[in-house]
């Protein structure tokens, strides 16, 4: 399990924790600007209960890393546009918005979490790091338990594999018998079909015989009539 010192010293380890921004609010409420995305340097300092200079020093010392994790510096037109957007949002709060004169450094939650893993002289930052490490240890324990369960399942599957191997020949024989039964059923269908055709022919013969019998009966009636007239 990584230690707090390792987290302070290793950028790679910090990178593994950058998705855990939820930890910030679990340790202490982080007050965002009205856009709900950014905070200023003084807001970060207030969160960690340190001076703005302490935050600025950490930011400068690890500039590339914190910029990769959301730090931005606004100047000129970008700063004016940001101030205009913030002013409209702050007016909705009925508060006065403090504007930076020439430039403004902004942090995201991800950047603040990055600072928490770099700032040594802050009890709040230490709490964030402890929370991260404890959460990681809990995850490791869960993974270990899951690994054991997977191992047990694999053992069961080994037994199932052996049973399936023994069942294989039986399934083959059953398949062959089913194929034979299918062939017999098909032959039966053919016989039934032939019998159906034959019965149709017999029916036609009966119909013709009925016609001939009717004609013969008519002839007998005619003969009797003639004999009676004589």
């Amino acid at each position: 399990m990584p230690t707090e010192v390792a987290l302070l010293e290793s950028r790679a380890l910090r990178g593994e924790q950058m998705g855990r921004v939820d930890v910030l609010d679990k340790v202490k409420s982080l007050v965002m600007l009205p856009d709900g995305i950014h905070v200023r340097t003084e807001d970060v300092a207030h969160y960690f209960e340190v001076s703005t200079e302490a935050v600025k020093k950490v930011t400068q010392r690890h500039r590339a890393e914190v910029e990769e994790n959301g730090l931005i510096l606004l100047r000129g037109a970008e700063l004016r546009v940001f101030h205009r957007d913030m002013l409209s949002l702050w007016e909705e709060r009925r508060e006065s918005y403090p504007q930076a004169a020439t430039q403004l450094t902004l942090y995201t939650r991800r950047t603040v979490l990055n600072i928490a893993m770099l700032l040594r002289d802050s009890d709040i930052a230490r709490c964030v790091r402890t929370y991260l490490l404890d959460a990681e240890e809990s995850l490791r324990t869960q993974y270990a338990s899951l690994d054991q369960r997977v191992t047990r399942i694999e053992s069961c599957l080994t037994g199932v594999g052996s049973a399936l191997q023994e069942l294989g020949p039986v399934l083959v024989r059953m398949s062959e018998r089913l194929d034979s039964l299918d062939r017999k059923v098909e032959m039966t269908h053919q016989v039934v079909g032939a019998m159906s055709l034959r019965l149709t022919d017999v029916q036609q013969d009966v119909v013709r015989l009925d016609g001939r019998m009717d004609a013969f009966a008519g002839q007998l009636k005619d003969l009797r009539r003639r004999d009676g007239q004589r």
Side-chain angles (χ1 to χ4, degrees):
M1 171 182 172
T3 63
E4 183 179 356
V5 174
L7 198 60
L8 287 165
E9 300 296 335
S10 172
R11 180 172 177 177
L13 288 177
R14 292 192 293 272
E16 293 176 0
Q17 302 294 333
M18 290 313 303
R20 300 295 313 281
V21 293
D22 58 302
V23 170
L24 296 173
D25 288 323
K26 291 179 179 179
V27 174
K28 181 182 177 181
S29 177
L30 177 63
V31 179
M32 311 297 292
L33 288 175
D35 64 354
I37 299 174
H38 299 99
V39 292
R40 301 161 300 173
T41 304
E42 50 266 42
D43 299 322
V44 178
H46 178 73
Y47 176 83
F48 289 114
E49 299 177 2
V50 296
S51 66
T52 56
E53 288 303 315
V55 175
K56 289 179 180 178
K57 287 180 180 179
V58 170
T59 300
Q60 290 300 324
R61 192 177 305 121
H62 301 274
R63 190 78 183 185
E65 181 178 344
V66 292
E67 285 182 347
E68 182 180 312
N69 288 304
L71 182 80
I72 57 174
L73 179 64
L74 298 180
R75 295 190 182 95
E78 289 184 341
L79 180 58
R80 288 193 295 274
V81 170
F82 183 82
H83 280 325
R84 183 193 63 199
D85 294 341
M86 288 300 101
L87 278 172
S88 62
L89 293 172
W90 276 72
E91 287 173 359
E92 294 177 4
R93 292 186 176 185
R94 301 182 183 278
E95 299 177 19
S96 59
Y97 170 64
Q99 297 189 37
T102 58
Q103 65 181 31
L104 178 63
T105 301
L106 294 175
Y107 301 70
T108 64
R109 287 180 179 274
R110 190 179 177 92
T111 323
V112 176
L113 181 61
N114 198 165
I115 296 297
M117 291 185 282
L118 293 168
L119 194 60
R120 295 176 181 270
D121 300 325
S122 165
D123 291 337
I124 300 300
R126 278 192 287 272
C127 286
V128 172
R129 292 193 292 270
T130 300
Y131 203 107
L132 286 172
L133 294 172
D134 288 347
E136 181 171 344
E137 177 60 22
S138 176
L139 285 174
R140 288 179 183 273
T141 302
Q142 293 177 19
Y143 288 151
S145 175
L146 179 60
D147 183 63
Q148 293 175 358
R149 292 170 62 187
V150 170
T151 301
R152 288 197 297 270
I153 292 172
E154 288 176 343
S155 300
C156 294
L157 289 177
T158 301
V160 171
S162 301
L164 289 176
Q165 289 178 353
E166 296 174 359
L167 187 59
V170 176
L171 293 175
V172 171
R173 289 195 296 272
M174 290 180 62
S175 178
E176 292 173 349
R177 293 179 64 184
L178 288 173
D179 289 340
S180 176
L181 183 60
D182 285 340
R183 289 193 294 271
K184 289 179 180 179
V185 170
E186 180 62 28
M187 291 176 62
T188 302
H189 285 167
Q190 294 175 0
V191 171
V192 171
M195 291 177 63
S196 178
L197 292 174
R198 181 56 182 161
L199 288 173
T200 301
D201 294 339
V202 170
Q203 184 180 12
Q204 293 175 353
D205 291 340
V206 170
V207 171
R208 287 194 295 270
L209 182 59
D210 285 342
R212 293 176 65 182
M213 291 295 292
D214 290 341
F216 182 68
Q219 291 176 1
L220 286 176
K221 288 180 181 180
D222 290 341
L223 288 173
R224 289 174 182 171
R225 192 182 307 112
R226 290 174 186 173
D227 290 341
Q229 291 176 355
R230 292 179 183 176

